Amino acid sequence: MPRKKQEYGLSHADRVAEIERKFGRDQVEPVLEQLSQVSNPTDRLLGAIVFCAREGHVEEIAGLVSLANTDATRLLNAATVKDERG
């Protein structure tokens, strides 16, 4: 059976729910504030940032935002690799 391709273009509401699940309700606003610093924010790119950050490691968001601003393609590729490896 062919693998279904994952897109990381979560809606804003989906991102908020995923942030809450991964980092806790008290981290939603701080993470959204960091996400607002992405130069060219798209749903796909913002979703990839949230997807790549490990659960409980909210400190990774800052580095992923920086990567999104310098090399968005690399971040999207990293999200694809993470998805493929499970």
Side-chain angles (χ1 to χ4, degrees):
M1 176 176 242
R3 182 177 172 83
K4 182 180 176 185
K5 289 218 173 248
Q6 172 70 34
E7 284 293 326
Y8 310 105
L10 300 173
S11 70
H12 178 74
D14 291 337
R15 271 193 303 281
V16 168
E18 186 66 5
I19 292 166
E20 191 172 310
R21 182 189 74 75
K22 281 186 160 184
F23 310 119
R25 178 170 283 167
D26 61 326
Q27 292 299 317
V28 171
E29 289 304 318
V31 170
L32 290 177
E33 175 63 32
Q34 290 182 68
L35 292 178
S36 74
Q37 297 173 13
V38 173
S39 300
N40 297 306
T42 63
D43 283 340
R44 186 168 182 237
L45 191 56
L46 297 175
I49 292 169
V50 174
F51 180 74
C52 284
R54 294 175 296 160
E55 191 168 332
H57 291 270
V58 72
E59 70 279 359
E60 293 179 354
I61 296 292
L64 292 167
V65 167
S66 178
L67 180 59
N69 287 334
T70 57
D71 193 350
T73 301
R74 186 170 168 205
L75 174 64
L76 293 171
N77 288 341
T80 299
V81 168
K82 180 178 178 180
D83 182 50
E84 289 173 351
R85 291 185 180 170

